[in-house]
Amino acid sequence: MATPLRELLPAGRHAAVPPGSLFRRVYAPRTCDALAFSMSTYAMPLLVLATTGSSSLTGLAFALEWIPRVAAFGLAGGLVDRRGAAIVCFLASLLRAVLVAAAAVVLVLLPGGTAETVTVMLLAAVTGALSQFSFVANEAVGAVVSRRAEGHAHRVQSVLIGIDQTATLIGPALGGVLLLAGPSKMLGCLTVLSFLAAALALQTPPTPLRSAQRAEALQSEGLKDGWRTLRSLPALNRLVAGLIVSNLALGLLQSASPIIVVERFGLSPAAAGTLWSAAAASTLIALTVCRFALNRLGLWVVGAVCSSVASAACLTLAQAPTYAAYVVVMAVFMAGDGGLTVVLRTLRSLLIPPAAFGTTLSLTILLLLLPFPVAGLLVALTPVPLLGHVIAVCAVLQAVALSATFLRLRSDPAMSRTVGADREPVEVRVG
């Protein structure tokens, strides 16, 4: 039956816009965690490549980094819904800091060889899982603030994505430069960022909690609750389906780019970090443009344009002849992908009911992350000279999937409205 959104509010405490500044209680904690997240995501494959010198192990490390991330989401969403975002983010960041610090010490003491390889591979897997716990928690905080932003959810989301992309601009370049001085220097920086993220997490605003009765009733359901909610939101589930295919191309580029830069173009790991920093800078520009475009053109127009840009750039990347060309086209690709992220996060924050936000968010992220370990395995199994052909195939799949998605969403009311307007009450079909 159709149930008004207000009837799905949880019985526990409710989050509100914090009495302190958004910068102190929302944006600052997000910044520290985003920097740690970007270093974990982009610098770990560089660390594996620097310590092992193997392209196959780099692709395998990328897969091992993302498999635990995918597995963590079922638990992460339930913990956020039942315990609150602040404590989840605090514990995840603190544990990541301790483990990374221990790994830095171990790498100093161990001689090069098998033991060093096993250490960095395990570290990539563990930090990946812990980073996703803190990510889900921060997303829940951002969604709570967005819903209380008086019809301007996209503005809050644009700031949050801007924080993420600024961290992506700084994190890979910083990780690449620190790797030139030694792996322990990079891991030491990641440790400090993780400790800061843990300390700041405790001042974030509270998120809605399920009542004890509801938590016990749904203890064994896991992501089934999120699946039911996602199925009740046609616009969101169609967009997620298209982005699953698109993320295969994105994951392939993230996994293959360090290898392409180092082995095909003959440059250092620092150049691979610079590649992602340039891509993040272009994404920040795209976010600014999308923020104004969403007010005037609506979600569908912005999403359709960004999907076209991303698809065309990915097709071009497969044939990039030089490092400079590769950087430019990658920047264009990431700008289009950043615009799609704004559309997804805005739609997600507007449509998902608060009581089921953690589990539904976890499900959508889980679905969107499934292509990443697949991409890592593809890179591990593909010889370096053939990586361009694999990227081209994935680019074609991405273009077809995104075109089909936005054609289906053309007449959907949720996608056609301009998001700066006052929002109508959201109806969710449950049961």
Side-chain angles (χ1 to χ4, degrees):
M1 76 181 184
T3 304
L5 178 60
R6 60 180 177 275
E7 295 181 17
L8 291 177
L9 289 174
R13 62 183 166 153
H14 294 259
V17 176
S21 67
L22 285 176
F23 175 80
R24 181 174 66 85
R25 300 196 64 186
V26 177
Y27 299 148
R30 177 75 168 230
T31 298
C32 288
D33 189 71
L35 279 169
F37 184 96
S38 69
M39 288 191 69
S40 298
T41 300
Y42 294 100
M44 284 299 169
L46 291 175
L47 176 64
V48 174
L49 185 61
T51 54
T52 67
S54 169
S55 60
S56 295
L57 285 178
T58 302
L60 182 59
F62 188 86
L64 291 176
E65 180 183 4
W66 283 100
I67 289 173
R69 293 187 181 205
V70 171
F73 276 106
L75 180 59
L79 283 176
V80 169
D81 280 347
R82 293 172 175 86
R83 304 300 180 191
I87 189 63
V88 172
C89 187
F90 169 74
L91 292 176
S93 299
L94 181 63
L95 186 55
R96 179 179 59 202
V98 171
L99 292 177
V100 171
V105 174
V106 168
L107 288 179
V108 171
L109 299 177
L110 285 177
T114 303
E116 185 181 53
T117 300
V118 170
T119 299
V120 295
M121 299 286 275
L122 287 176
L123 184 63
V126 173
T127 55
L130 293 173
S131 294
Q132 294 303 354
F133 274 89
S134 61
F135 175 79
V136 171
N138 276 301
E139 281 290 279
V141 171
V144 163
V145 177
S146 295
R147 280 194 295 268
R148 288 154 176 80
E150 300 298 331
H152 298 293
H154 67 293
R155 294 184 181 178
V156 175
Q157 289 297 323
S158 294
V159 173
L160 295 177
I161 299 172
I163 290 172
D164 292 344
Q165 292 303 321
T166 301
T168 304
L169 188 155
I170 298 172
L174 180 61
V177 170
L178 290 174
L179 274 176
L180 297 177
S184 295
K185 299 291 191 303
M186 190 272 285
L187 294 178
C189 181
L190 180 56
T191 299
V192 172
L193 288 172
S194 296
F195 274 126
L196 284 174
L200 292 172
L202 295 176
Q203 67 178 3
T204 56
T207 51
L209 297 182
R210 287 176 175 165
S211 65
Q213 181 179 2
R214 180 172 173 79
E216 291 174 5
L218 298 178
Q219 189 76 31
S220 62
E221 289 193 15
L223 293 177
K224 291 180 182 178
D225 195 26
W227 179 251
R228 283 194 295 268
T229 305
L230 183 61
R231 288 181 60 190
S232 71
L233 305 170
L236 184 60
N237 65 51
R238 288 171 182 170
L239 182 59
V240 168
L243 292 179
I244 288 172
V245 181
S246 179
N247 276 3
L248 179 62
L250 175 61
L252 188 66
L253 292 173
Q254 287 187 356
S255 179
S257 288
I259 301 168
I260 292 173
V261 169
V262 173
E263 299 197 10
R264 180 172 149 193
F265 296 129
L267 301 175
S268 70
T274 302
L275 165 70
W276 292 115
S277 295
S282 71
T283 306
L284 285 172
I285 297 173
L287 294 177
T288 303
V289 174
C290 287
R291 176 175 176 174
F292 292 102
L294 284 170
N295 277 325
R296 295 163 176 78
L297 302 176
L299 289 166
W300 187 87
V301 174
V302 174
V305 171
C306 290
S307 68
S308 300
V309 170
S311 299
C314 192
L315 287 167
T316 307
L317 269 172
Q319 307 299 324
T322 64
Y323 172 74
Y326 195 83
V327 170
V328 171
V329 181
M330 181 67 79
V332 175
F333 172 83
M334 293 302 293
D337 185 75
L340 288 172
T341 303
V342 175
V343 172
L344 172 65
R345 290 190 178 187
T346 301
L347 192 66
R348 197 166 59 191
S349 67
L350 293 175
L351 295 184
I352 299 176
F357 187 84
T359 51
T360 309
L361 171 67
S362 293
L363 177 64
T364 59
I365 300 175
L366 170 63
L367 294 173
L368 292 172
L369 291 186
L370 287 175
F372 285 85
V374 175
L377 293 176
L378 280 175
V379 172
L381 297 174
T382 303
V384 176
L386 298 180
L387 282 177
H389 299 293
V390 176
I391 292 173
V393 172
C394 288
V396 171
L397 292 175
Q398 178 193 41
V400 172
L402 290 179
S403 297
T405 295
F406 282 96
L407 284 174
R408 293 184 67 191
L409 291 173
R410 179 67 182 90
S411 59
D412 194 296
M415 293 294 294
S416 61
R417 65 185 178 183
T418 55
V419 298
D422 292 337
R423 288 180 285 164
E424 299 292 334
V426 180
E427 297 271 329
V428 179
R429 188 168 299 276
V430 297

